[in-house]
Amino acid sequence: MSGRYEMGVLLMICIILLSCLPGSPVHAAQQGNAVFFNPPYFPSACNGNQNDGVLVAGVSDRLWNNGRACGRRYRVRCIRGTNEAPHPCKNGKTVTVKVVDYCQSGCQGIINLSRDAFSAIADPDAGIIRVEFDQ
Ligand SMILES: *[C@@H]1O[C@H](CO)[C@@H](O)[C@H](O)[C@H]1NC(C)=O
């Protein structure tokens, strides 16, 4: 019996227990590409002609969940650009958006931000950016 083996087992147990805690990787930030669209931001798939303000977004299939995503709020942060625009991110900025729309198949991002939301965290000239987001 080596103490090393037992340490290994202990470590495994710790990792398993940790992954069940709130704030664990299960609930951690996700990553994906973000695109944007220009105003007007309504009508929307969730709320029809209701004006939900300017910090809104559409989400694609992975998050949409048959409309259950409606009303959810995501805090979004720009990580990097995905094309030639060298430094699109406004460092350290986050924006919280409310899901009001569906970004249909062919959507080039997991999240389609309003131009207002996108420009709060990145230069719209980039067109598409890599983001990290959580609820
Ligand atoms: C973003 O959302 C708008 C409004 O729903 C839509 O017209 C546009 O096609 C979407 N952008 C992309 C890249 O799918």
Side-chain angles (χ1 to χ4, degrees), residues 75-90:
R75 193 180 48 177
V76 186
R77 190 171 68 87
C78 178
I79 302 173
R80 59 179 157 82
T82 58
N83 58 16
E84 309 312 316
H87 299 291
C89 296
K90 295 183 179 169

Side-chain angles (χ1 to χ4, degrees), residues 35-38 40 43 58 101-104 106-109 112-113:
V35 290
F36 72 89
F37 62 108
N38 290 313
D101 217 350
Y102 176 49
C103 197
Q104 301 174 18
C107 186
Q108 292 168 61
N112 187 358
L113 298 170

Side-chain angles (χ1 to χ4, degrees), residues 2 11 15 21-22 41 51-52 73 80-81 85 90 97 107-108:
S2 81
L11 195 66
I15 290 168
L21 294 173
Y41 302 137
N51 182 346
D52 293 285
R73 282 170 202 278
R80 59 179 157 82
K90 295 183 179 169
V97 292
C107 186
Q108 292 168 61

Side-chain angles (χ1 to χ4, degrees), residues 15-132:
I15 290 168
I16 291 164
L17 287 178
L18 273 176
S19 66
C20 299
L21 294 173
S24 72
V26 182
H27 299 275
Q30 307 180 56
Q31 281 190 20
N33 288 345
V35 290
F36 72 89
F37 62 108
N38 290 313
Y41 302 137
F42 59 95
S44 68
C46 295
N47 299 325
N49 274 316
Q50 183 183 316
N51 182 346
D52 293 285
V54 298
L55 298 182
V56 292
V59 294
S60 64
D61 284 313
R62 204 175 101 198
L63 300 172
W64 178 243
N65 197 6
N66 261 317
R68 278 187 282 269
C70 285
R72 210 172 268 170
R73 282 170 202 278
Y74 285 108
R75 193 180 48 177
V76 186
R77 190 171 68 87
C78 178
I79 302 173
R80 59 179 157 82
T82 58
N83 58 16
E84 309 312 316
H87 299 291
C89 296
K90 295 183 179 169
N91 276 340
K93 295 270 165 59
T94 63
V95 68
T96 299
V97 292
K98 183 178 166 189
V99 175
V100 301
D101 217 350
Y102 176 49
C103 197
Q104 301 174 18
S105 68
C107 186
Q108 292 168 61
I110 186 169
I111 191 158
N112 187 358
L113 298 170
S114 67
R115 190 189 176 94
D116 291 77
F118 191 100
S119 60
I121 57 169
D123 180 356
D125 285 348
I128 180 166
I129 52 170
R130 190 77 184 166
V131 294
E132 185 175 79

